[in-house]
């Protein structure tokens, strides 16, 4: 019996956002409750422990079914608290598996590390092998500089491997691969390889996957061998390792690239890839469910576009705490999801900003930088929550330090205005610079304006400002083109002997480009026409040459400066927009 898995899709009515979110939260709570506790891996567990875990799993499954069927099911919070009380009682009676279970749940819920260690020690002292291995991991992660605890961890791993624990075997192999001389482990690739082969022969798909990765990269003592790597990958997939299934499926989906005259090792086979993705998804691998969601959302690999299936797979991945899937579901609720574009289009998910925010929060809890950004924008703008700039600053800072240019740009604005943080022009400048370096046009314009005016940070730097405007103009932003036209008209891009040196030809060229990029916006047309009145024929002809050299096809024109592109590594349009200066 594996009490850590509950089967069945919970997505039945996509138009009901509260139902979807309720079940997501139920499932996430369930993961904290029983994840990783597989009684098949326990050595003769007590009948009371098994029945307690089984009842908890049954109640959680019944609760999910009740949500689907719109009936009343068990209270999962009460079920968990009842199970917790019973397991605590068993642990107090020195039940080693109950002590292990409490420690394992404590790790998942970030409980006090010393209490977790104490529980693991009690269980491992009675020979609970899983407790030994997990205690070793806690000691290595929580006290990386403590040599005594590191030595204890290595001893526990070695004892776990001797007890035929597959995780301990892989951990020991990793120690031999990296070498840890301070705790008595010298680097020995052959010993690592032998341990992984032992695990692979025993049916451990993760050990087999490790062998595939070894031969894929090659290390001293193991010659890089793509064919061997593929063979082990396929074997790991046959052993139902979810990551191997998904990795092999991804290669089958597109086929390996051709290199030189040699044939690709993996030929394109989308149908077989889909079967493997399904196997990985059924094995509980959240990323495989997310990939299937993307496949059906976009109609990839010869599959018909099916938004209902996409939502179903994204939801399954969200149940597995997949941050990207939760984020994508948030996108759907933020914008709404319809099958078709006309008035008769089927509504799959109703637009619901509150539900979107809840999903973004879940995605942020699971490490999505883009989700931190979106939650920050909700608080900054006061969308479905009270406007709280201090909270906005906290979320945007997290996203900004993770490299999201939009977040860096908004964070700079908060520093500039003193919103949710003490006003700091120097910090604002630094964050504008980081966002501009990420080729984010609104930040390039904002930074250009700071440099052009001095902006309380020093003397104007016109040439540096022009470089920022040029970078934004290359992205088709009309405002950047007008700023360049103005600098050239005033002669500030090429100052000689402390005197302005106007370049009306370049000014007119940029003004014409701004007219094109803005679809003949009134302000751009008016500026161009006023400029042209005072120019000579030869200057106008020169402007035409410059314009022709810089003109891009109409299809390449970008959105106005006030609209930000989607965050990198997120689907287009999936991130909330941020305004330009």
């Amino acid at each position: 019996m594996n009490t850590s898995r509950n089967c069945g899709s919970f997505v039945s009515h996509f138009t009901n956002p509260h139902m979807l979110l309720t079940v997501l939260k139920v499932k996430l709570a369930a993961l904290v409750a029983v994840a990783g506790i597989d009684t098949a891996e326990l050595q003769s567990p007590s009948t009371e422990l098994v029945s307690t875990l089984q009842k908890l799993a049954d109640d959680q499954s019944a609760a999910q079914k009740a949500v689907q069927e719109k009936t009343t099911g068990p209270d999962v919070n009460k079920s968990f608290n009842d199970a917790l009380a019973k397991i605590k009682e068993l642990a107090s009676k020195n039940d080693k598996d109950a002590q292990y279970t409490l420690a394992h749940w404590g790790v998942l819920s970030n409980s006090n590390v010393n209490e977790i260690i104490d529980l693991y020690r009690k269980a491992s002292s009675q020979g609970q092998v899983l407790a030994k291995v997990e205690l070793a991991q806690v000691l290595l992660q929580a006290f990386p500089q403590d040599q005594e605890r590191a030595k204890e961890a290595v001893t526990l791993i070695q004892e776990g491997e001797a007890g035929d624990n597959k995780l301990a075997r892989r951990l020991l192999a990793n120690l031999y691969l990296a070498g840890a001389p301070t705790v008595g482990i010298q680097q020995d690739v052959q010993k690592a390889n032998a341990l992984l082969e032992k695990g692979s022969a025993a049916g451990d798909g993760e050990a087999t996957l490790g062998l595939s990765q070894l031969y894929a990269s090659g290390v001293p003592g193991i010659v890089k061998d793509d064919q061997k790597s593929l063979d082990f990958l396929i074997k790991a997939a046959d052993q139902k390792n979810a990551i191997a299934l998904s990795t092999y499926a991804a290669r089958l989906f597109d086929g390996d690239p051709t290199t030189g005259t040699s044939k690709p090792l993996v030929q394109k086979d989308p149908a077989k890839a889909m079967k493997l993705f399904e196997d990985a998804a059924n094995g509980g691998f959240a990323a495989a469910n997310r990939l299937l969601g993307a496949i059906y959302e976009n109609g990839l690999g010869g599959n018909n576009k099916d938004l209902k299936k996409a939502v179903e797979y994204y939801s399954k991945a969200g149940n597995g705490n997949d941050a990207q899937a939760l984020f994508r579901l948030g996108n759907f609720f933020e914008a709404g999801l319809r099958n078709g574009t006309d008035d008769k289009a089927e509504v799959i998910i109703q637009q619901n900003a509150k539900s979107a925010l809840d999903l973004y929060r879940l995605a942020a809890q699971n490490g999505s930088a883009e989700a931190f950004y979106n939650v920050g924008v909700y608080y900054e703008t006061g969308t479905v929550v009270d406007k709280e700039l201090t909270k906005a600053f906290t979320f945007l800072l997290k996203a900004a330090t993770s490299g999201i240019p939009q977040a860096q740009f908004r964070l700079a604005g908060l520093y500039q205005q003193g919103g949710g943080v003490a006003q700091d022009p120097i910090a604002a400048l630094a964050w504008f610079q980081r966002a501009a370096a990420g080729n984010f046009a609104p930040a390039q314009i904002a930074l250009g304006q700071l440099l052009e005016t001095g902006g309380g940070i020093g003397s104007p730097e016109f040439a540096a400002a022009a470089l920022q405007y040029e970078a934004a103009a290359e992205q088709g932003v009309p405002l950047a083109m007008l700023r360049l036209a103005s600098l050239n008209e005033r002669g500030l891009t090429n100052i000689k002997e402390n005197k302005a040196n106007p370049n009306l030809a370049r000014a007119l060229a940029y003004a014409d480009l701004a007219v094109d990029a803005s679809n003949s916006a009134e302000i751009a047309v008016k500026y161009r026409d006023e400029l042209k009145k005072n120019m000579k024929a030869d200057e106008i002809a020169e402007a035409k040459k410059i314009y022709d050299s810089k003109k891009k096809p109409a299809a390449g024109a970008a959105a106005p400066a006030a609209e930000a592109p989607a965050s990198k590594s997120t689907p287009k349009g999936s991130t909330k927009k941020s305004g330009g200066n």
Side-chain angles (χ1 to χ4, degrees):
M1 177 193 77
N2 186 342
T3 61
S4 68
R5 293 180 184 174
N6 289 300
C7 301
S9 167
F10 62 75
V11 181
S12 56
H13 297 278
F14 304 134
T15 55
N16 186 336
H18 300 296
M19 178 179 293
L20 174 60
L21 287 166
T22 298
V23 183
L24 269 172
K25 290 173 182 175
V26 167
K27 180 64 177 178
L28 290 170
L31 287 169
V32 173
V34 294
I37 305 300
D38 183 352
T39 54
E41 294 184 353
L42 304 179
Q43 296 177 345
S44 303
S46 67
T47 303
E48 288 180 290
L49 178 70
V50 172
S51 62
T52 301
L53 292 173
Q54 183 64 66
K55 184 178 186 307
L56 177 57
D58 290 345
D59 284 352
Q60 290 170 342
S61 181
Q64 290 184 21
K65 185 177 180 181
V67 173
Q68 291 176 5
E69 297 176 353
K70 299 182 180 179
T71 59
T72 302
D75 181 339
V76 290
N77 289 324
K78 182 179 184 304
S79 296
F80 174 63
N81 288 331
D82 289 347
L84 184 62
K86 182 61 180 176
I87 291 172
K88 282 183 176 179
E89 179 188 334
L90 292 172
S92 69
K93 295 177 180 177
N94 226 23
D95 183 317
K96 66 182 187 304
D97 295 312
Q99 292 165 342
Y100 162 71
T101 299
L102 288 177
H104 185 81
W105 288 352
V107 169
L108 293 178
S109 60
N110 295 315
S111 298
N112 182 283
V113 68
N114 290 319
E115 292 177 5
I116 292 170
I117 289 173
D118 184 54
L119 284 164
Y120 273 137
R121 285 196 196 285
K122 288 178 180 177
S124 61
S125 67
Q126 298 184 71
Q128 220 289 354
V129 177
L130 294 173
K132 289 184 179 183
V133 179
E134 291 182 28
L135 172 58
Q137 289 180 293
V138 170
L139 293 173
L140 289 173
Q141 292 168 7
F143 309 100
Q145 306 303 320
D146 189 323
Q147 291 300 309
E148 288 305 313
R149 296 197 191 216
K151 288 179 181 178
E152 180 187 358
V154 170
T155 299
L156 289 166
I157 290 170
Q158 290 170 329
E159 289 176 358
E161 198 284 320
D164 205 31
N165 180 269
K166 58 187 179 183
L167 174 57
R169 184 174 294 121
R170 294 194 302 270
L171 289 172
L172 189 56
N174 286 334
L175 284 171
Y176 278 119
L177 275 175
T182 57
V183 291
I185 300 288
Q186 299 299 323
Q187 187 178 35
D188 191 327
V189 175
Q190 296 306 322
K191 280 188 178 180
N193 189 65
L195 285 165
L196 292 176
E197 287 184 343
K198 180 180 177 182
S200 176
D204 181 5
E206 199 161 335
T208 309
L209 179 63
L211 288 168
S212 174
Q213 293 167 338
L214 268 183
Y215 282 102
S217 58
V219 294
I222 301 287
V223 178
K224 186 176 186 296
D225 189 323
D226 291 335
Q227 184 60 61
K228 269 192 175 182
S229 174
L230 176 60
D231 292 342
F232 279 120
L233 180 66
I234 294 171
K235 181 180 178 181
D238 290 341
Q239 292 170 328
K240 300 303 179 184
N241 178 269
I243 296 175
L245 283 164
S246 189
T247 303
Y248 184 36
R251 290 177 66 174
L252 284 164
F253 200 79
D254 294 316
D256 286 349
T258 302
T259 55
T261 57
S262 60
K263 286 185 178 181
L265 290 178
V266 178
Q267 301 289 332
K268 184 175 181 178
D269 190 342
K272 185 176 180 180
M274 289 297 291
K275 174 64 170 60
L276 291 175
F277 276 135
E278 291 283 0
D279 287 347
N282 291 334
F285 189 44
N289 277 304
R290 186 229 311 147
L291 289 168
L292 284 167
I295 287 168
Y296 283 111
E297 180 187 358
N298 298 289
L300 303 176
N303 295 282
N304 292 327
K305 186 174 180 178
D306 189 328
L307 295 179
K308 285 186 176 180
K309 274 191 174 182
V311 172
E312 181 177 349
Y313 280 113
Y314 281 135
S315 300
K316 288 179 179 178
N319 273 345
N321 289 352
D322 186 279
Q324 293 179 54
L326 289 164
F327 182 78
R328 196 71 187 117
L329 288 168
N331 299 157
F332 291 155
F333 276 102
E334 183 171 13
L337 188 64
R338 297 162 65 89
N339 195 6
T341 56
D342 57 22
D343 293 339
K344 295 181 181 179
E346 179 188 9
V347 176
I348 298 174
I349 291 180
Q350 291 280 6
Q351 187 176 24
N352 189 305
K354 175 63 171 63
S355 298
L357 175 58
D358 288 342
L359 283 160
Y360 288 144
R361 281 175 170 150
L362 287 173
Q365 289 169 15
N366 285 282
S368 168
E370 291 85 357
F372 274 104
Y373 167 73
N374 281 14
V375 175
V377 174
Y378 271 80
Y379 279 109
E380 185 185 2
T381 59
T383 303
V384 303
V385 290
D386 292 334
K387 185 174 181 177
E388 294 186 52
L389 295 184
T390 302
K391 282 188 176 180
F393 175 83
T394 300
F395 282 105
L396 291 173
L397 179 62
K398 179 72 174 178
T401 53
S402 297
I404 304 297
Q406 289 94 327
Q408 294 166 348
F409 171 72
R410 284 187 176 269
L411 194 69
L414 291 178
Y415 272 117
Q416 191 176 46
Q417 302 299 324
V421 66
Q423 193 172 31
D424 189 337
I426 302 303
L429 174 66
W431 283 110
F432 276 134
Q433 287 172 328
R434 288 182 66 173
N439 208 31
F440 187 51
Q444 291 164 339
I445 293 171
L447 180 56
Q449 290 175 328
L450 272 179
L451 294 168
E452 181 182 349
T453 62
I457 57 172
S459 301
E461 298 181 34
F462 301 114
L467 289 175
Q468 295 300 325
Y469 294 144
E470 285 171 2
E474 281 295 311
Q475 299 182 61
V477 180
L479 177 57
M481 298 167 186
L482 288 174
R483 299 305 307 167
L484 281 168
S486 175
L487 282 177
N488 278 284
E489 181 193 6
R490 290 177 287 152
L492 297 177
T493 60
N494 186 19
I495 298 175
K496 294 182 178 179
E497 298 177 356
N498 294 321
K499 292 183 180 180
N501 187 30
N503 188 330
L504 298 183
R506 287 186 70 82
L508 179 58
Y510 278 116
D512 275 327
L513 289 167
V515 169
D516 291 349
S518 66
N519 294 319
S520 299
E522 182 180 352
I523 188 173
V525 172
K526 184 177 180 181
Y527 177 83
R528 179 198 62 186
D529 293 347
E530 288 294 325
L531 183 65
K532 204 170 183 179
K533 284 180 184 178
N534 302 314
M535 291 178 62
K536 300 174 183 177
D538 60 334
E539 291 175 323
I540 293 174
E542 179 63 23
K544 180 67 166 59
K545 291 179 182 178
I546 298 171
Y547 167 84
D548 288 340
S549 70
K550 293 182 175 292
K551 186 177 179 181
K552 294 181 179 179
E563 182 171 300
S567 291
K568 62 181 180 180
S569 76
T570 63
K572 184 179 179 182
S574 65
T575 318
K576 291 183 74 68
K577 306 298 183 182
S578 49
N581 285 350

